[in-house]
Amino acid sequence: MKELEQFIENFAKQFNDINPSEINAKTKFKELEEWGSIGALLTIVMVDDVYQKNINGDDIRNAETIEDLFQVINSR
């Protein structure tokens, strides 16, 4: 699960007001106050930069939790 913990940390770094210790794998990221279209774009860029994988808006729309998003990335 170390990879998932690292993904959560990388996800949180995209937002100024999210502390990685305040979110976990089951966090419904779209319910976060900081989430929005810019957050989605930042996440897509982070996944490309850090994981060298491509995700799109549909991937984000179909994911509910941070772990769901992590699983999408791992499936690529």
Side-chain angles (χ1 to χ4, degrees):
M1 277 300 193
K2 185 118 175 103
E3 291 178 14
L4 177 57
E5 292 171 13
Q6 184 63 51
F7 179 74
I8 293 168
E9 188 174 315
N10 290 334
F11 179 89
K13 285 180 185 177
Q14 305 310 303
F15 306 91
N16 293 331
D17 297 332
I18 296 179
N19 182 329
S21 66
E22 296 173 355
I23 61 175
N24 61 54
K26 301 300 180 195
T27 298
K28 293 183 178 185
F29 62 90
K30 290 179 256 184
E31 294 178 3
L32 295 170
E33 186 176 327
E34 298 82 0
W35 185 257
S37 58
I38 298 296
L41 290 173
L42 289 171
T43 300
I44 289 168
V45 170
M46 179 271 294
V47 169
D48 184 48
D49 287 347
V50 175
Y51 298 94
Q52 289 78 51
K53 309 251 176 134
N54 293 316
I55 61 171
N56 59 40
D58 287 338
D59 295 325
I60 291 173
R61 274 190 290 282
N62 293 329
E64 290 293 320
T65 66
I66 293 175
E67 185 174 19
D68 293 343
L69 202 51
F70 178 73
Q71 295 301 331
V72 168
I73 293 162
N74 277 338
S75 72
R76 304 281 157 93

